[in-house]
Amino acid sequence: MSIETAYSLELKDVISAIEANQYYRQGKLHDPRAFSCIGSDDCNAQLTCANLSKLPNEWIVPPYFKQSSDLSPHSSNCDYVKHKATAKNQKGNIGSSLIKTGNFNLILDLDGFSKPKADNPTINGKTNSGSITSYTKKSVSSKNKIQQKNSDIKSLRKLVDVYQSEDYDNSTTKININSSSFTLEKLFLNLDSTNELKHQQHIYFGKATIYERKEEDKFYIIEFSTEHYHVSKNKAVTDKPSIMVFKDQLQKHKHLRKFEKYVSTGNTFTCYFFGYPELQKYINFKLHNNYYNLFLRD
């Protein structure tokens, strides 16, 4: 069973297998076995990153994590253990290689992204319920016999990985949301340059800081670095967009815990938010208790 995200013992951070491959080629990672599982709070299984050292054009399948050995097993509570039992019942065809076509379907709940299950990229036609599910078909024009036709993306982290990957052309790669289709460059809206914001669904991203107003407050404020504006009653309202996040939720969501190292330091990170802005006296992004619509990257 392949796993898409893991904790890097060398970087002291949760990263995806594609990120690990990029960091290895940049000289920031060295040991393919220096990863541990994040499938549950009590799972510390040692993982190995397959294809860590290979270039993208050498991939038969994209990089992924797998259990290093039976001597370091997963916890019985681990999401990957539970998912593996389900995956055994799924059938698929075996092919010889995989090519990304740049056509993705976002799988969302009513309020956006949901908690990802085992993040398993599909291999050679086998479908699953991970953060990416692939469907493959034979290629006539390519030397490869199998190519990826569509992919289902179920996590904001994975969507950001695709957006930042050099394997895709952001001007042509399609993201399908229900009956609508957008290119990556239209879906992602960069907040590092001033924009007129409208009540539209995007992946809003940009440099931001996080702080607490008072120590006794139960929440932090994430504030983007650049001012933006919206027009209300023929008047322009200017503000730095912000997001309120409750302190206890950062501990409950593993993918957000590293926010805390930035609190009140003034240091910036890149913040990603999926949804709509609230455009009133201020410009806010509201999570509505769905913290899977929020992601940060150093």
Side-chain angles (χ1 to χ4, degrees):
M1 181 186 75
S2 56
I3 301 170
E4 188 176 295
T5 56
Y7 181 79
S8 168
L9 301 177
E10 293 180 287
L11 297 180
K12 310 296 184 186
D13 199 1
V14 176
I15 62 175
S16 69
I18 291 178
E19 287 179 290
N21 174 267
Q22 294 170 345
Y23 288 141
Y24 180 88
R25 288 184 277 130
Q26 294 169 4
K28 296 179 180 180
L29 289 178
H30 304 90
D31 187 353
R33 295 167 61 89
F35 300 92
S36 62
C37 183
I38 59 169
S40 67
D41 289 335
D42 63 344
C43 187
N44 296 304
Q46 182 184 11
L47 301 180
T48 296
C49 185
N51 296 333
L52 180 66
S53 62
K54 291 186 177 181
L55 296 172
N57 61 0
E58 299 175 322
W59 296 347
I60 295 177
V61 295
Y64 62 94
F65 295 105
K66 62 181 180 179
Q67 185 176 328
S68 296
S69 74
D70 293 335
L71 298 177
S72 180
H74 291 277
S75 161
S76 59
N77 295 320
C78 180
D79 288 342
Y80 301 120
V81 171
K82 298 175 183 177
H83 180 76
K84 187 175 182 180
T86 302
K88 286 183 179 180
N89 297 323
Q90 298 176 328
K91 296 181 178 180
N93 297 319
I94 302 300
S96 59
S97 64
L98 190 65
I99 299 176
K100 299 171 185 176
T101 63
N103 189 28
F104 298 92
N105 303 307
L106 284 195
I107 305 301
L108 305 170
D109 287 341
L110 292 177
D111 57 352
F113 290 101
S114 58
K115 180 179 180 180
K117 297 180 181 178
D119 289 340
N120 295 341
T122 295
I123 299 175
N124 295 329
K126 184 180 291 186
T127 62
N128 59 46
S129 59
S131 71
I132 280 195
T133 304
S134 305
Y135 306 88
T136 62
K137 67 178 182 180
K138 289 187 178 180
S139 170
V140 176
S141 59
S142 172
K143 294 180 181 179
N144 297 286
K145 295 181 179 179
I146 301 294
Q147 71 177 20
Q148 185 178 19
K149 182 180 180 180
N150 290 299
S151 288
D152 293 345
I153 296 181
K154 299 185 179 182
S155 69
L156 180 54
R157 170 191 285 275
K158 186 60 198 178
L159 184 56
V160 171
D161 281 348
V162 170
Y163 177 72
Q164 294 183 333
S165 173
E166 296 179 355
D167 298 336
Y168 300 101
D169 182 347
N170 290 346
S171 66
T172 59
T173 297
K174 294 292 184 67
I175 304 296
N176 305 308
I177 306 176
N178 297 324
S179 58
S180 300
S181 183
F182 308 87
T183 61
L184 276 172
E185 68 177 8
K186 294 294 184 181
L187 182 61
F188 280 74
L189 199 157
N190 191 341
L191 296 179
D192 288 336
S193 57
T194 300
N195 293 284
E196 178 185 357
L197 300 186
K198 299 181 180 180
H199 189 71
Q200 295 175 341
Q201 188 179 54
H202 285 287
I203 308 294
Y204 294 90
F205 73 100
K207 295 296 182 184
T209 57
I210 183 171
Y211 64 90
E212 58 181 352
R213 296 187 302 184
K214 299 178 182 179
E215 188 175 350
E216 61 269 21
D217 283 345
K218 296 182 178 180
F219 58 86
Y220 297 123
I221 299 295
I222 298 172
E223 184 178 76
F224 288 90
S225 301
T226 303
E227 286 190 338
H228 299 268
Y229 69 95
H230 72 95
V231 177
S232 176
K233 298 180 180 179
N234 295 321
K235 292 184 179 180
V237 178
T238 302
D239 189 29
K240 290 183 178 180
S242 61
I243 307 172
M244 184 176 71
V245 294
F246 284 96
K247 296 178 180 179
D248 62 337
Q249 293 299 317
L250 296 190
Q251 283 301 314
K252 291 179 180 178
H253 295 80
K254 279 189 174 182
H255 72 292
L256 299 180
R257 289 178 185 171
K258 63 181 178 180
F259 267 120
E260 293 187 314
K261 73 179 182 182
Y262 290 100
V263 172
S264 300
T265 65
N267 295 330
T268 62
F269 51 87
T270 302
C271 182
Y272 296 82
F273 170 83
F274 174 70
Y276 298 85
E278 297 284 338
L279 304 174
Q280 299 177 18
K281 184 179 180 181
Y282 303 99
I283 300 176
N284 298 317
F285 297 115
K286 294 187 177 180
L287 293 169
H288 300 291
N289 207 36
N290 185 352
Y291 284 76
Y292 298 105
N293 288 334
L294 183 65
F295 177 62
L296 79 86
R297 182 151 283 167
D298 294 309

mmCIF file of all heavy atoms in Angstrom, residues 144-180:
data_model
loop_
_atom_site.group_PDB
_atom_site.id
_atom_site.type_symbol
_atom_site.label_atom_id
_atom_site.label_comp_id
_atom_site.label_asym_id
_atom_site.label_seq_id
_atom_site.Cartn_x
_atom_site.Cartn_y
_atom_site.Cartn_z
ATOM 1 N N ASN A 144 4.518 5.161 -24.124
ATOM 2 C CA ASN A 144 4.031 4.465 -22.945
ATOM 3 C C ASN A 144 2.690 3.818 -23.246
ATOM 4 O O ASN A 144 1.852 4.387 -23.950
ATOM 5 C CB ASN A 144 3.878 5.446 -21.782
ATOM 6 C CG ASN A 144 5.205 6.055 -21.381
ATOM 7 O OD1 ASN A 144 6.029 5.407 -20.776
ATOM 8 N ND2 ASN A 144 5.384 7.321 -21.734
ATOM 9 N N LYS A 145 2.458 2.637 -22.724
ATOM 10 C CA LYS A 145 1.236 1.910 -23.016
ATOM 11 C C LYS A 145 0.061 2.384 -22.179
ATOM 12 O O LYS A 145 -1.078 2.167 -22.544
ATOM 13 C CB LYS A 145 1.468 0.420 -22.773
ATOM 14 C CG LYS A 145 2.488 -0.199 -23.724
ATOM 15 C CD LYS A 145 2.647 -1.681 -23.451
ATOM 16 C CE LYS A 145 3.654 -2.295 -24.411
ATOM 17 N NZ LYS A 145 3.827 -3.743 -24.142
ATOM 18 N N ILE A 146 0.368 2.977 -21.021
ATOM 19 C CA ILE A 146 -0.699 3.394 -20.115
ATOM 20 C C ILE A 146 -0.546 4.868 -19.802
ATOM 21 O O ILE A 146 0.553 5.357 -19.603
ATOM 22 C CB ILE A 146 -0.644 2.600 -18.794
ATOM 23 C CG1 ILE A 146 -0.773 1.111 -19.055
ATOM 24 C CG2 ILE A 146 -1.731 3.052 -17.833
ATOM 25 C CD1 ILE A 146 -2.112 0.678 -19.598
ATOM 26 N N GLN A 147 -1.637 5.601 -19.780
ATOM 27 C CA GLN A 147 -1.579 6.979 -19.350
ATOM 28 C C GLN A 147 -2.766 7.280 -18.451
ATOM 29 O O GLN A 147 -3.787 6.610 -18.511
ATOM 30 C CB GLN A 147 -1.545 7.943 -20.535
ATOM 31 C CG GLN A 147 -2.859 8.041 -21.310
ATOM 32 C CD GLN A 147 -2.752 9.056 -22.410
ATOM 33 O OE1 GLN A 147 -1.671 9.413 -22.830
ATOM 34 N NE2 GLN A 147 -3.883 9.532 -22.890
ATOM 35 N N GLN A 148 -2.596 8.294 -17.635
ATOM 36 C CA GLN A 148 -3.638 8.685 -16.695
ATOM 37 C C GLN A 148 -4.672 9.538 -17.413
ATOM 38 O O GLN A 148 -4.323 10.508 -18.080
ATOM 39 C CB GLN A 148 -2.994 9.476 -15.550
ATOM 40 C CG GLN A 148 -3.941 9.846 -14.446
ATOM 41 C CD GLN A 148 -3.193 10.573 -13.336
ATOM 42 O OE1 GLN A 148 -2.096 11.081 -13.556
ATOM 43 N NE2 GLN A 148 -3.762 10.613 -12.180
ATOM 44 N N LYS A 149 -5.908 9.165 -17.288
ATOM 45 C CA LYS A 149 -6.969 9.899 -17.972
ATOM 46 C C LYS A 149 -7.539 10.996 -17.075
ATOM 47 O O LYS A 149 -7.684 12.127 -17.502
ATOM 48 C CB LYS A 149 -8.086 8.929 -18.389
ATOM 49 C CG LYS A 149 -9.226 9.592 -19.147
ATOM 50 C CD LYS A 149 -10.274 8.563 -19.525
ATOM 51 C CE LYS A 149 -11.422 9.209 -20.279
ATOM 52 N NZ LYS A 149 -12.445 8.222 -20.639
ATOM 53 N N ASN A 150 -7.881 10.648 -15.850
ATOM 54 C CA ASN A 150 -8.423 11.611 -14.890
ATOM 55 C C ASN A 150 -7.882 11.293 -13.514
ATOM 56 O O ASN A 150 -7.461 10.175 -13.243
ATOM 57 C CB ASN A 150 -9.954 11.547 -14.834
ATOM 58 C CG ASN A 150 -10.587 12.090 -16.086
ATOM 59 O OD1 ASN A 150 -10.419 13.243 -16.438
ATOM 60 N ND2 ASN A 150 -11.323 11.232 -16.782
ATOM 61 N N SER A 151 -7.914 12.283 -12.639
ATOM 62 C CA SER A 151 -7.545 12.072 -11.248
ATOM 63 C C SER A 151 -8.524 12.806 -10.350
ATOM 64 O O SER A 151 -8.960 13.910 -10.667
ATOM 65 C CB SER A 151 -6.128 12.583 -10.955
ATOM 66 O OG SER A 151 -5.171 11.745 -11.549
ATOM 67 N N ASP A 152 -8.876 12.178 -9.241
ATOM 68 C CA ASP A 152 -9.720 12.797 -8.230
ATOM 69 C C ASP A 152 -8.844 13.316 -7.107
ATOM 70 O O ASP A 152 -8.088 12.556 -6.511
ATOM 71 C CB ASP A 152 -10.722 11.792 -7.663
ATOM 72 C CG ASP A 152 -11.748 11.358 -8.707
ATOM 73 O OD1 ASP A 152 -11.863 12.014 -9.742
ATOM 74 O OD2 ASP A 152 -12.428 10.364 -8.444
ATOM 75 N N ILE A 153 -8.905 14.603 -6.837
ATOM 76 C CA ILE A 153 -8.128 15.218 -5.768
ATOM 77 C C ILE A 153 -9.045 15.483 -4.585
ATOM 78 O O ILE A 153 -10.077 16.131 -4.724
ATOM 79 C CB ILE A 153 -7.473 16.528 -6.239
ATOM 80 C CG1 ILE A 153 -6.468 16.239 -7.350
ATOM 81 C CG2 ILE A 153 -6.799 17.254 -5.078
ATOM 82 C CD1 ILE A 153 -5.746 17.461 -7.868
ATOM 83 N N LYS A 154 -8.645 14.981 -3.416
ATOM 84 C CA LYS A 154 -9.493 15.081 -2.235
ATOM 85 C C LYS A 154 -8.875 15.894 -1.106
ATOM 86 O O LYS A 154 -9.446 15.955 -0.024
ATOM 87 C CB LYS A 154 -9.825 13.680 -1.719
ATOM 88 C CG LYS A 154 -10.593 12.836 -2.733
ATOM 89 C CD LYS A 154 -11.001 11.507 -2.143
ATOM 90 C CE LYS A 154 -11.784 10.678 -3.143
ATOM 91 N NZ LYS A 154 -12.235 9.391 -2.575
ATOM 92 N N SER A 155 -7.708 16.518 -1.334
ATOM 93 C CA SER A 155 -7.105 17.322 -0.273
ATOM 94 C C SER A 155 -6.500 18.587 -0.861
ATOM 95 O O SER A 155 -6.023 18.603 -2.001
ATOM 96 C CB SER A 155 -6.022 16.527 0.471
ATOM 97 O OG SER A 155 -4.901 16.307 -0.350
ATOM 98 N N LEU A 156 -6.540 19.667 -0.071
ATOM 99 C CA LEU A 156 -5.972 20.933 -0.512
ATOM 100 C C LEU A 156 -4.466 20.810 -0.687
ATOM 101 O O LEU A 156 -3.892 21.388 -1.614
ATOM 102 C CB LEU A 156 -6.301 22.027 0.507
ATOM 103 C CG LEU A 156 -5.776 23.435 0.197
ATOM 104 C CD1 LEU A 156 -6.210 23.903 -1.182
ATOM 105 C CD2 LEU A 156 -6.254 24.421 1.269
ATOM 106 N N ARG A 157 -3.807 20.045 0.195
ATOM 107 C CA ARG A 157 -2.360 19.838 0.069
ATOM 108 C C ARG A 157 -2.013 19.288 -1.316
ATOM 109 O O ARG A 157 -1.059 19.739 -1.962
ATOM 110 C CB ARG A 157 -1.856 18.875 1.144
ATOM 111 C CG ARG A 157 -0.416 18.427 0.909
ATOM 112 C CD ARG A 157 -0.046 17.285 1.825
ATOM 113 N NE ARG A 157 0.170 17.727 3.173
ATOM 114 C CZ ARG A 157 1.325 18.216 3.633
ATOM 115 N NH1 ARG A 157 2.366 18.319 2.814
ATOM 116 N NH2 ARG A 157 1.447 18.593 4.876
ATOM 117 N N LYS A 158 -2.764 18.287 -1.768
ATOM 118 C CA LYS A 158 -2.468 17.672 -3.057
ATOM 119 C C LYS A 158 -2.705 18.649 -4.194
ATOM 120 O O LYS A 158 -1.935 18.689 -5.174
ATOM 121 C CB LYS A 158 -3.294 16.403 -3.252
ATOM 122 C CG LYS A 158 -2.919 15.657 -4.522
ATOM 123 C CD LYS A 158 -1.463 15.244 -4.499
ATOM 124 C CE LYS A 158 -0.946 14.913 -5.869
ATOM 125 N NZ LYS A 158 0.491 14.546 -5.820
ATOM 126 N N LEU A 159 -3.753 19.444 -4.093
ATOM 127 C CA LEU A 159 -4.037 20.428 -5.136
ATOM 128 C C LEU A 159 -2.901 21.445 -5.220
ATOM 129 O O LEU A 159 -2.493 21.840 -6.318
ATOM 130 C CB LEU A 159 -5.367 21.127 -4.855
ATOM 131 C CG LEU A 159 -5.850 22.135 -5.909
ATOM 132 C CD1 LEU A 159 -5.947 21.490 -7.282
ATOM 133 C CD2 LEU A 159 -7.187 22.720 -5.495
ATOM 134 N N VAL A 160 -2.368 21.856 -4.077
ATOM 135 C CA VAL A 160 -1.233 22.784 -4.058
ATOM 136 C C VAL A 160 -0.004 22.116 -4.691
ATOM 137 O O VAL A 160 0.747 22.749 -5.439
ATOM 138 C CB VAL A 160 -0.934 23.250 -2.617
ATOM 139 C CG1 VAL A 160 0.372 24.031 -2.560
ATOM 140 C CG2 VAL A 160 -2.070 24.110 -2.083
ATOM 141 N N ASP A 161 0.213 20.828 -4.386
ATOM 142 C CA ASP A 161 1.330 20.099 -4.995
ATOM 143 C C ASP A 161 1.242 20.123 -6.516
ATOM 144 O O ASP A 161 2.240 20.320 -7.216
ATOM 145 C CB ASP A 161 1.338 18.643 -4.519
ATOM 146 C CG ASP A 161 1.935 18.477 -3.132
ATOM 147 O OD1 ASP A 161 2.548 19.441 -2.626
ATOM 148 O OD2 ASP A 161 1.785 17.388 -2.551
ATOM 149 N N VAL A 162 0.046 19.895 -7.042
ATOM 150 C CA VAL A 162 -0.146 19.893 -8.491
ATOM 151 C C VAL A 162 0.126 21.282 -9.061
ATOM 152 O O VAL A 162 0.787 21.439 -10.091
ATOM 153 C CB VAL A 162 -1.579 19.429 -8.845
ATOM 154 C CG1 VAL A 162 -1.877 19.642 -10.327
ATOM 155 C CG2 VAL A 162 -1.763 17.964 -8.479
ATOM 156 N N TYR A 163 -0.372 22.319 -8.376
ATOM 157 C CA TYR A 163 -0.195 23.703 -8.829
ATOM 158 C C TYR A 163 1.286 24.071 -8.883
ATOM 159 O O TYR A 163 1.736 24.758 -9.810
ATOM 160 C CB TYR A 163 -0.939 24.642 -7.886
ATOM 161 C CG TYR A 163 -0.772 26.111 -8.214
ATOM 162 C CD1 TYR A 163 -1.394 26.672 -9.326
ATOM 163 C CD2 TYR A 163 -0.009 26.941 -7.392
ATOM 164 C CE1 TYR A 163 -1.248 28.020 -9.624
ATOM 165 C CE2 TYR A 163 0.135 28.289 -7.677
ATOM 166 C CZ TYR A 163 -0.480 28.821 -8.782
ATOM 167 O OH TYR A 163 -0.334 30.165 -9.081
ATOM 168 N N GLN A 164 2.069 23.600 -7.915
ATOM 169 C CA GLN A 164 3.481 23.955 -7.839
ATOM 170 C C GLN A 164 4.384 23.016 -8.641
ATOM 171 O O GLN A 164 5.555 23.321 -8.849
ATOM 172 C CB GLN A 164 3.940 23.957 -6.371
ATOM 173 C CG GLN A 164 3.280 25.044 -5.540
ATOM 174 C CD GLN A 164 3.797 25.079 -4.118
ATOM 175 O OE1 GLN A 164 4.246 24.061 -3.598
ATOM 176 N NE2 GLN A 164 3.738 26.240 -3.485
ATOM 177 N N SER A 165 3.842 21.909 -9.083
ATOM 178 C CA SER A 165 4.652 20.927 -9.800
ATOM 179 C C SER A 165 5.050 21.447 -11.179
ATOM 180 O O SER A 165 4.267 22.094 -11.876
ATOM 181 C CB SER A 165 3.876 19.615 -9.954
ATOM 182 O OG SER A 165 4.577 18.724 -10.779
ATOM 183 N N GLU A 166 6.271 21.125 -11.583
ATOM 184 C CA GLU A 166 6.742 21.490 -12.919
ATOM 185 C C GLU A 166 6.174 20.561 -13.989
ATOM 186 O O GLU A 166 6.364 20.796 -15.182
ATOM 187 C CB GLU A 166 8.268 21.452 -12.958
ATOM 188 C CG GLU A 166 8.934 22.471 -12.039
ATOM 189 C CD GLU A 166 10.445 22.387 -12.077
ATOM 190 O OE1 GLU A 166 10.959 21.465 -12.752
ATOM 191 O OE2 GLU A 166 11.105 23.221 -11.435
ATOM 192 N N ASP A 167 5.466 19.512 -13.556
ATOM 193 C CA ASP A 167 4.939 18.537 -14.513
ATOM 194 C C ASP A 167 3.682 19.028 -15.226
ATOM 195 O O ASP A 167 3.242 18.413 -16.190
ATOM 196 C CB ASP A 167 4.618 17.219 -13.802
ATOM 197 C CG ASP A 167 5.847 16.573 -13.195
ATOM 198 O OD1 ASP A 167 6.950 16.860 -13.689
ATOM 199 O OD2 ASP A 167 5.707 15.809 -12.233
ATOM 200 N N TYR A 168 3.075 20.105 -14.728
ATOM 201 C CA TYR A 168 1.804 20.545 -15.282
ATOM 202 C C TYR A 168 1.889 21.988 -15.772
ATOM 203 O O TYR A 168 2.552 22.828 -15.163
ATOM 204 C CB TYR A 168 0.693 20.443 -14.231
ATOM 205 C CG TYR A 168 0.497 19.043 -13.719
ATOM 206 C CD1 TYR A 168 1.018 18.659 -12.492
ATOM 207 C CD2 TYR A 168 -0.193 18.102 -14.473
ATOM 208 C CE1 TYR A 168 0.854 17.365 -12.016
ATOM 209 C CE2 TYR A 168 -0.366 16.809 -14.015
ATOM 210 C CZ TYR A 168 0.165 16.454 -12.786
ATOM 211 O OH TYR A 168 0.006 15.174 -12.332
ATOM 212 N N ASP A 169 1.198 22.261 -16.847
ATOM 213 C CA ASP A 169 1.069 23.614 -17.370
ATOM 214 C C ASP A 169 -0.164 24.233 -16.725
ATOM 215 O O ASP A 169 -1.294 23.823 -17.005
ATOM 216 C CB ASP A 169 0.926 23.565 -18.891
ATOM 217 C CG ASP A 169 0.825 24.955 -19.516
ATOM 218 O OD1 ASP A 169 0.627 25.936 -18.775
ATOM 219 O OD2 ASP A 169 0.938 25.049 -20.754
ATOM 220 N N ASN A 170 0.041 25.235 -15.865
ATOM 221 C CA ASN A 170 -1.075 25.812 -15.118
ATOM 222 C C ASN A 170 -2.092 26.521 -16.007
ATOM 223 O O ASN A 170 -3.233 26.732 -15.611
ATOM 224 C CB ASN A 170 -0.552 26.789 -14.056
ATOM 225 C CG ASN A 170 0.167 26.087 -12.926
ATOM 226 O OD1 ASN A 170 0.063 24.863 -12.782
ATOM 227 N ND2 ASN A 170 0.887 26.837 -12.114
ATOM 228 N N SER A 171 -1.670 26.887 -17.209
ATOM 229 C CA SER A 171 -2.595 27.589 -18.104
ATOM 230 C C SER A 171 -3.529 26.641 -18.843
ATOM 231 O O SER A 171 -4.551 27.070 -19.394
ATOM 232 C CB SER A 171 -1.811 28.431 -19.118
ATOM 233 O OG SER A 171 -1.075 27.592 -20.000
ATOM 234 N N THR A 172 -3.189 25.337 -18.853
ATOM 235 C CA THR A 172 -4.025 24.370 -19.571
ATOM 236 C C THR A 172 -4.559 23.248 -18.688
ATOM 237 O O THR A 172 -5.557 22.611 -19.041
ATOM 238 C CB THR A 172 -3.237 23.733 -20.736
ATOM 239 O OG1 THR A 172 -2.065 23.082 -20.215
ATOM 240 C CG2 THR A 172 -2.812 24.790 -21.740
ATOM 241 N N THR A 173 -3.920 22.985 -17.558
ATOM 242 C CA THR A 173 -4.375 21.908 -16.677
ATOM 243 C C THR A 173 -5.750 22.250 -16.115
ATOM 244 O O THR A 173 -5.944 23.324 -15.535
ATOM 245 C CB THR A 173 -3.379 21.683 -15.529
ATOM 246 O OG1 THR A 173 -2.136 21.258 -16.083
ATOM 247 C CG2 THR A 173 -3.888 20.631 -14.559
ATOM 248 N N LYS A 174 -6.691 21.351 -16.275
ATOM 249 C CA LYS A 174 -8.082 21.605 -15.898
ATOM 250 C C LYS A 174 -8.400 21.047 -14.509
ATOM 251 O O LYS A 174 -7.986 19.946 -14.152
ATOM 252 C CB LYS A 174 -9.029 20.973 -16.918
ATOM 253 C CG LYS A 174 -8.959 21.608 -18.303
ATOM 254 C CD LYS A 174 -9.499 23.027 -18.278
ATOM 255 C CE LYS A 174 -9.513 23.634 -19.682
ATOM 256 N NZ LYS A 174 -10.489 22.967 -20.563
ATOM 257 N N ILE A 175 -9.155 21.828 -13.757
ATOM 258 C CA ILE A 175 -9.694 21.417 -12.460
ATOM 259 C C ILE A 175 -11.213 21.451 -12.567
ATOM 260 O O ILE A 175 -11.801 22.504 -12.839
ATOM 261 C CB ILE A 175 -9.227 22.347 -11.322
ATOM 262 C CG1 ILE A 175 -7.697 22.419 -11.274
ATOM 263 C CG2 ILE A 175 -9.793 21.871 -9.987
ATOM 264 C CD1 ILE A 175 -7.024 21.113 -10.941
ATOM 265 N N ASN A 176 -11.836 20.316 -12.392
ATOM 266 C CA ASN A 176 -13.291 20.213 -12.517
ATOM 267 C C ASN A 176 -13.938 20.221 -11.137
ATOM 268 O O ASN A 176 -13.610 19.399 -10.283
ATOM 269 C CB ASN A 176 -13.655 18.928 -13.253
ATOM 270 C CG ASN A 176 -12.947 18.830 -14.599
ATOM 271 O OD1 ASN A 176 -13.001 19.742 -15.412
ATOM 272 N ND2 ASN A 176 -12.261 17.719 -14.827
ATOM 273 N N ILE A 177 -14.830 21.176 -10.925
ATOM 274 C CA ILE A 177 -15.580 21.289 -9.666
ATOM 275 C C ILE A 177 -17.056 21.186 -10.008
ATOM 276 O O ILE A 177 -17.634 22.105 -10.587
ATOM 277 C CB ILE A 177 -15.290 22.610 -8.936
ATOM 278 C CG1 ILE A 177 -13.777 22.796 -8.718
ATOM 279 C CG2 ILE A 177 -16.026 22.668 -7.613
ATOM 280 C CD1 ILE A 177 -13.406 24.120 -8.080
ATOM 281 N N ASN A 178 -17.626 20.033 -9.656
ATOM 282 C CA ASN A 178 -19.020 19.756 -10.035
ATOM 283 C C ASN A 178 -19.158 19.883 -11.553
ATOM 284 O O ASN A 178 -18.464 19.215 -12.296
ATOM 285 C CB ASN A 178 -19.971 20.671 -9.270
ATOM 286 C CG ASN A 178 -19.893 20.432 -7.770
ATOM 287 O OD1 ASN A 178 -19.723 19.305 -7.319
ATOM 288 N ND2 ASN A 178 -20.003 21.501 -6.994
ATOM 289 N N SER A 179 -20.003 20.792 -12.029
ATOM 290 C CA SER A 179 -20.216 20.909 -13.470
ATOM 291 C C SER A 179 -19.361 22.005 -14.094
ATOM 292 O O SER A 179 -19.445 22.239 -15.304
ATOM 293 C CB SER A 179 -21.692 21.212 -13.758
ATOM 294 O OG SER A 179 -22.092 22.407 -13.112
ATOM 295 N N SER A 180 -18.518 22.674 -13.292
ATOM 296 C CA SER A 180 -17.681 23.765 -13.798
ATOM 297 C C SER A 180 -16.245 23.304 -13.963
ATOM 298 O O SER A 180 -15.784 22.403 -13.272
ATOM 299 C CB SER A 180 -17.738 24.969 -12.847
ATOM 300 O OG SER A 180 -19.065 25.453 -12.711
#
